[in-house]
Amino acid sequence: MSVYSWFRRKIKTSPRQERQPQPSTQLLEEEASVSVHIEDRLSWLQSKLYNTADIVYRTFTAAADQPCALVFIRGMVNQETLQQDVLKAVLYISASDGADLRRQLFDYGRFPVTSLQVETSMQQGLQAILDGHALLLVEGDVRMLNFPVTSYEKRAIDEAPNESVIRGPRESFVESLQTNTTLIRRRIKTAELKMEFLKIGRRTKTDVVVSYIEGICKPELVQELMKRLSEIDIDGVMGSNYLEEFIEDNPYSPFPQLQYTERPDIVVASLLEGRIAVVTDGTPIVLIAPVTFFMLMQSAEDYYQRYISSTWIRWIRFVFIFISLLLPSTYIAVTTVHPEIIPKRLLITITSSREIVPFPALVEAFLMELAFEALREAAIRIPKSIGQAVSIIGALIIGTAAVQAGIVSAAMVIIVSLTGIASFIIPHYDLGLAFRLLRFPIMLLAGIFGLFGIACGLILVYLHLLSLRSFGTPYLSPITPLVPGDLKDTLVRSPWWLMKRRPHLQGPGTRRQGQQTRRWVREEEEDED
């Protein structure tokens, strides 16, 4: 049994505290002590929301001289809707006494507001205010009207900055949960599309939606994901990465075990394959589970170009992913341990370029790779207006100066530059980051053991990939284990009319095409015969 398995068993068998603590006796007594008088309930709310200048307490008198109050957070509600559809509707009620007013107020048909709710608990009313709703309190009644008139500034839908395409749609997710679920719902117009709602975070109470297509997604996959999400006990969730680190199968692996995207079309395509999407409020990044290594090597552009071109681009990606991982290590191994396998003329060129370099090839490669990583990180952090110029000028100046000063050789600059370009070809950023991280230990093995060290490093990486699972799905499927039917969208991208069934490991393997697909082609062939 591995150390990781032992720790996982101990964690699962150890007693866990409840995710949401039960209301204390003191809290229940406080709510029971609040009377039906509006002053007492406003005092209770003010005692909970003290030192909060953005809370608005709007008191007024309705028909029959009945005191009422609207409580909401300034900047989180639509003021026009609140005045026109709520406040004006209350003030226009004509009632003979307080009982008649309350009877008319709690008639749902009087207010042109959707999703109107009646709250009977002060704690529920407090949570409604914090959610950005408007709460109406009426003298003499414990019931409160909860108006979901939330409205706040949000970013407009724009093109995905990190997943651009040439022929595909330009829309991307934003930080609004409602907008993101609408972008998904607009593309899948079926009742089988399900969206289950969760709140995660004791302080932030972040809204999370789990989306899947019933009848395509495996029910046990949905149950497992909901179970892992419900066990999360944390103060706050600021982004989808918080959830990713809690629910992934192997948290100590450098490889991503969930896919993330900011494109609605990728999420919709994944749902149609039987996968699940996790949409988190406050972030444009949507998680998709399960995922495999070959899914992370696919790009949205693959499905908007002709299948011949897409297949060629995929082969280029796989070639360059090996270049990104192994090119510096191979150069170190060949020049340091196995110089006899290099042609004489090339060996003389490499040796003459390294004549004045004071460091061995391993140290030289480490210095150049670290400098390249620093330049890449600096290009991300500095302002965009000068980031590209600084990164290009910095790389040119540092590379040229280092070669002229004799610190590194020109061949090493070429090797590191090719490696950096190759790492940019990987579509998924976290997958590229994993290979960039693994590049350094493999370089160390190459400097000590040569090509034998590289082979050992590749075997260890391969064994680790074989052991990885993403919600029970093997990470290297459909290659290992071999699923011949799913190979049509792995190393190659077959034409759509040949991919008649959904992936076997994600969904039930049902057909996604009818029997009449491309029937006109068969009819033409029969006519020619």
CSV table of all heavy atoms in Angstrom, one decimal, residues 59-90:
chain,number,residue,atom,x,y,z
A,59,THR,N,-38.3,52.8,5.6
A,59,THR,CA,-39.5,52.7,6.3
A,59,THR,C,-40.6,53.6,5.7
A,59,THR,O,-40.2,54.7,5.3
A,59,THR,CB,-39.4,53.0,7.8
A,59,THR,OG1,-38.9,54.3,8.0
A,59,THR,CG2,-38.4,52.0,8.5
A,60,PHE,N,-41.8,53.1,5.7
A,60,PHE,CA,-42.9,54.0,5.1
A,60,PHE,C,-44.2,53.4,5.7
A,60,PHE,O,-44.3,52.4,6.4
A,60,PHE,CB,-42.9,53.9,3.6
A,60,PHE,CG,-43.0,52.5,3.0
A,60,PHE,CD1,-44.3,52.0,2.7
A,60,PHE,CD2,-41.9,51.7,2.9
A,60,PHE,CE1,-44.4,50.7,2.2
A,60,PHE,CE2,-42.1,50.4,2.3
A,60,PHE,CZ,-43.3,49.9,2.0
A,61,THR,N,-45.3,54.2,5.4
A,61,THR,CA,-46.6,53.8,5.9
A,61,THR,C,-47.5,53.5,4.7
A,61,THR,O,-47.6,54.3,3.8
A,61,THR,CB,-47.2,55.0,6.7
A,61,THR,OG1,-46.4,55.3,7.8
A,61,THR,CG2,-48.6,54.6,7.2
A,62,ALA,N,-48.1,52.3,4.8
A,62,ALA,CA,-49.0,51.9,3.7
A,62,ALA,C,-50.5,52.2,4.1
A,62,ALA,O,-50.7,53.0,5.0
A,62,ALA,CB,-48.9,50.4,3.4
A,63,ALA,N,-51.4,51.6,3.4
A,63,ALA,CA,-52.8,51.8,3.7
A,63,ALA,C,-53.2,51.4,5.1
A,63,ALA,O,-52.5,50.6,5.7
A,63,ALA,CB,-53.7,51.0,2.7
A,64,ALA,N,-54.2,52.0,5.6
A,64,ALA,CA,-54.7,51.8,7.0
A,64,ALA,C,-53.6,52.1,8.0
A,64,ALA,O,-53.6,51.5,9.1
A,64,ALA,CB,-55.2,50.3,7.2
A,65,ASP,N,-52.7,53.0,7.7
A,65,ASP,CA,-51.6,53.5,8.6
A,65,ASP,C,-50.8,52.3,9.1
A,65,ASP,O,-50.4,52.3,10.3
A,65,ASP,CB,-52.2,54.3,9.8
A,65,ASP,CG,-52.9,55.6,9.3
A,65,ASP,OD1,-52.4,56.1,8.3
A,65,ASP,OD2,-53.8,56.0,9.9
A,66,GLN,N,-50.5,51.3,8.2
A,66,GLN,CA,-49.7,50.2,8.6
A,66,GLN,C,-48.2,50.4,8.3
A,66,GLN,O,-47.9,50.7,7.2
A,66,GLN,CB,-50.2,48.9,7.9
A,66,GLN,CG,-51.5,48.4,8.4
A,66,GLN,CD,-51.5,47.9,9.8
A,66,GLN,OE1,-50.7,47.0,10.1
A,66,GLN,NE2,-52.3,48.5,10.6
A,67,PRO,N,-47.3,50.4,9.4
A,67,PRO,CA,-45.9,50.6,9.1
A,67,PRO,C,-45.3,49.4,8.3
A,67,PRO,O,-45.6,48.3,8.6
A,67,PRO,CB,-45.3,50.7,10.5
A,67,PRO,CG,-46.5,51.0,11.4
A,67,PRO,CD,-47.6,50.3,10.8
A,68,CYS,N,-44.5,49.8,7.3
A,68,CYS,CA,-43.8,48.7,6.5
A,68,CYS,C,-42.3,49.2,6.4
A,68,CYS,O,-42.0,50.3,6.7
A,68,CYS,CB,-44.4,48.6,5.1
A,68,CYS,SG,-46.1,48.1,5.1
A,69,ALA,N,-41.5,48.3,6.0
A,69,ALA,CA,-40.1,48.6,5.8
A,69,ALA,C,-39.5,47.7,4.7
A,69,ALA,O,-39.8,46.5,4.5
A,69,ALA,CB,-39.3,48.3,7.1
A,70,LEU,N,-38.6,48.3,3.9
A,70,LEU,CA,-37.9,47.6,2.9
A,70,LEU,C,-36.4,47.6,3.3
A,70,LEU,O,-35.9,48.7,3.6
A,70,LEU,CB,-38.0,48.3,1.5
A,70,LEU,CG,-39.1,47.8,0.6
A,70,LEU,CD1,-39.2,48.7,-0.7
A,70,LEU,CD2,-38.9,46.3,0.2
A,71,VAL,N,-35.8,46.5,3.3
A,71,VAL,CA,-34.4,46.4,3.7
A,71,VAL,C,-33.6,45.7,2.5
A,71,VAL,O,-34.0,44.7,2.0
A,71,VAL,CB,-34.2,45.5,5.0
A,71,VAL,CG1,-32.7,45.5,5.4
A,71,VAL,CG2,-35.1,46.0,6.1
A,72,PHE,N,-32.5,46.4,2.1
A,72,PHE,CA,-31.7,45.8,1.0
A,72,PHE,C,-30.3,46.4,1.0
A,72,PHE,O,-30.1,47.4,1.8
A,72,PHE,CB,-32.4,46.2,-0.4
A,72,PHE,CG,-32.7,47.6,-0.6
A,72,PHE,CD1,-31.7,48.4,-1.2
A,72,PHE,CD2,-33.8,48.2,-0.2
A,72,PHE,CE1,-31.9,49.8,-1.5
A,72,PHE,CE2,-34.1,49.6,-0.4
A,72,PHE,CZ,-33.1,50.4,-1.0
A,73,ILE,N,-29.5,45.9,0.2
A,73,ILE,CA,-28.1,46.4,0.1
A,73,ILE,C,-28.0,47.3,-1.1
A,73,ILE,O,-28.3,47.0,-2.2
A,73,ILE,CB,-27.1,45.2,0.0
A,73,ILE,CG1,-27.2,44.3,1.2
A,73,ILE,CG2,-25.7,45.7,-0.2
A,73,ILE,CD1,-26.3,43.1,1.1
A,74,ARG,N,-27.5,48.5,-0.8
A,74,ARG,CA,-27.3,49.5,-1.9
A,74,ARG,C,-26.3,49.1,-2.9
A,74,ARG,O,-25.2,48.6,-2.6
A,74,ARG,CB,-26.9,50.8,-1.3
A,74,ARG,CG,-26.8,52.0,-2.3
A,74,ARG,CD,-26.2,53.3,-1.7
A,74,ARG,NE,-27.1,53.8,-0.7
A,74,ARG,CZ,-26.9,53.8,0.6
A,74,ARG,NH1,-25.8,53.3,1.1
A,74,ARG,NH2,-27.8,54.3,1.5
A,75,GLY,N,-26.7,49.1,-4.1
A,75,GLY,CA,-25.8,48.7,-5.2
A,75,GLY,C,-26.0,47.3,-5.7
A,75,GLY,O,-25.4,46.9,-6.7
A,76,MET,N,-26.8,46.5,-5.0
A,76,MET,CA,-27.0,45.1,-5.3
A,76,MET,C,-28.4,44.8,-5.8
A,76,MET,O,-28.8,43.7,-6.1
A,76,MET,CB,-26.7,44.2,-4.2
A,76,MET,CG,-25.2,44.1,-3.9
A,76,MET,SD,-24.7,42.8,-2.7
A,76,MET,CE,-25.1,41.3,-3.7
A,77,VAL,N,-29.3,45.8,-5.8
A,77,VAL,CA,-30.7,45.7,-6.3
A,77,VAL,C,-31.0,46.7,-7.4
A,77,VAL,O,-30.3,47.7,-7.5
A,77,VAL,CB,-31.7,45.9,-5.1
A,77,VAL,CG1,-31.5,44.9,-4.0
A,77,VAL,CG2,-31.6,47.3,-4.6
A,78,ASN,N,-31.9,46.3,-8.2
A,78,ASN,CA,-32.4,47.2,-9.3
A,78,ASN,C,-33.3,48.2,-8.7
A,78,ASN,O,-34.5,47.9,-8.3
A,78,ASN,CB,-33.1,46.4,-10.4
A,78,ASN,CG,-33.3,47.2,-11.6
A,78,ASN,OD1,-33.7,48.3,-11.5
A,78,ASN,ND2,-33.1,46.5,-12.8
A,79,GLN,N,-32.9,49.5,-8.5
A,79,GLN,CA,-33.7,50.5,-7.9
A,79,GLN,C,-35.0,50.8,-8.7
A,79,GLN,O,-36.0,51.0,-8.1
A,79,GLN,CB,-32.8,51.8,-7.8
A,79,GLN,CG,-31.6,51.7,-6.9
A,79,GLN,CD,-32.0,51.8,-5.4
A,79,GLN,OE1,-33.1,52.0,-5.1
A,79,GLN,NE2,-31.0,51.6,-4.6
A,80,GLU,N,-34.9,50.8,-10.0
A,80,GLU,CA,-36.1,51.1,-10.8
A,80,GLU,C,-37.2,50.0,-10.6
A,80,GLU,O,-38.3,50.3,-10.4
A,80,GLU,CB,-35.7,51.2,-12.2
A,80,GLU,CG,-36.9,51.6,-13.1
A,80,GLU,CD,-36.4,51.7,-14.6
A,80,GLU,OE1,-35.2,51.6,-14.9
A,80,GLU,OE2,-37.3,51.9,-15.4
A,81,THR,N,-36.8,48.7,-10.6
A,81,THR,CA,-37.7,47.6,-10.4
A,81,THR,C,-38.3,47.7,-9.0
A,81,THR,O,-39.5,47.5,-8.7
A,81,THR,CB,-37.0,46.3,-10.6
A,81,THR,OG1,-36.5,46.3,-12.0
A,81,THR,CG2,-38.0,45.1,-10.4
A,82,LEU,N,-37.4,48.0,-8.0
A,82,LEU,CA,-37.8,48.1,-6.6
A,82,LEU,C,-38.9,49.2,-6.4
A,82,LEU,O,-39.9,49.0,-5.7
A,82,LEU,CB,-36.6,48.3,-5.7
A,82,LEU,CG,-36.8,48.2,-4.2
A,82,LEU,CD1,-37.2,46.7,-3.9
A,82,LEU,CD2,-35.6,48.5,-3.5
A,83,GLN,N,-38.7,50.3,-7.1
A,83,GLN,CA,-39.6,51.4,-6.9
A,83,GLN,C,-40.9,51.2,-7.7
A,83,GLN,O,-42.0,51.5,-7.2
A,83,GLN,CB,-39.0,52.7,-7.3
A,83,GLN,CG,-37.8,53.2,-6.4
A,83,GLN,CD,-37.1,54.4,-6.9
A,83,GLN,OE1,-37.6,55.1,-7.8
A,83,GLN,NE2,-36.1,54.8,-6.2
A,84,GLN,N,-40.8,50.8,-8.9
A,84,GLN,CA,-42.0,50.7,-9.8
A,84,GLN,C,-42.8,49.4,-9.5
A,84,GLN,O,-44.0,49.5,-9.5
A,84,GLN,CB,-41.5,50.6,-11.3
A,84,GLN,CG,-40.8,51.9,-11.8
A,84,GLN,CD,-41.7,53.1,-11.8
A,84,GLN,OE1,-42.9,53.0,-12.0
A,84,GLN,NE2,-41.1,54.3,-11.5
A,85,ASP,N,-42.2,48.3,-9.3
A,85,ASP,CA,-42.9,47.1,-9.2
A,85,ASP,C,-43.2,46.6,-7.7
A,85,ASP,O,-44.0,45.8,-7.5
A,85,ASP,CB,-42.2,45.9,-9.9
A,85,ASP,CG,-42.0,46.2,-11.3
A,85,ASP,OD1,-42.8,47.0,-11.9
A,85,ASP,OD2,-41.1,45.6,-12.0
A,86,VAL,N,-42.4,47.2,-6.8
A,86,VAL,CA,-42.6,46.8,-5.4
A,86,VAL,C,-43.2,47.9,-4.5
A,86,VAL,O,-44.3,47.8,-4.0
A,86,VAL,CB,-41.3,46.3,-4.8
A,86,VAL,CG1,-41.5,45.9,-3.3
A,86,VAL,CG2,-40.8,45.1,-5.6
A,87,LEU,N,-42.4,49.0,-4.4
A,87,LEU,CA,-42.8,50.1,-3.5
A,87,LEU,C,-44.1,50.7,-4.0
A,87,LEU,O,-45.1,51.0,-3.2
A,87,LEU,CB,-41.7,51.1,-3.5
A,87,LEU,CG,-41.9,52.2,-2.4
A,87,LEU,CD1,-42.0,51.6,-1.0
A,87,LEU,CD2,-40.7,53.2,-2.4
A,88,LYS,N,-44.3,51.0,-5.3
A,88,LYS,CA,-45.5,51.6,-5.8
A,88,LYS,C,-46.7,50.7,-5.7
A,88,LYS,O,-47.8,51.1,-5.4
A,88,LYS,CB,-45.3,52.0,-7.3
A,88,LYS,CG,-46.4,52.8,-7.9
A,88,LYS,CD,-46.2,53.2,-9.3
A,88,LYS,CE,-45.0,54.2,-9.4
A,88,LYS,NZ,-44.9,54.7,-10.8
A,89,ALA,N,-46.4,49.3,-5.9
A,89,ALA,CA,-47.6,48.4,-5.8
A,89,ALA,C,-48.1,48.3,-4.3
A,89,ALA,O,-49.3,48.2,-4.1
A,89,ALA,CB,-47.1,47.0,-6.2
A,90,VAL,N,-47.2,48.5,-3.4
A,90,VAL,CA,-47.6,48.5,-1.9
A,90,VAL,C,-48.3,49.7,-1.6
A,90,VAL,O,-49.4,49.7,-0.9
A,90,VAL,CB,-46.3,48.3,-1.0
A,90,VAL,CG1,-46.8,48.4,0.4
A,90,VAL,CG2,-45.7,46.9,-1.3
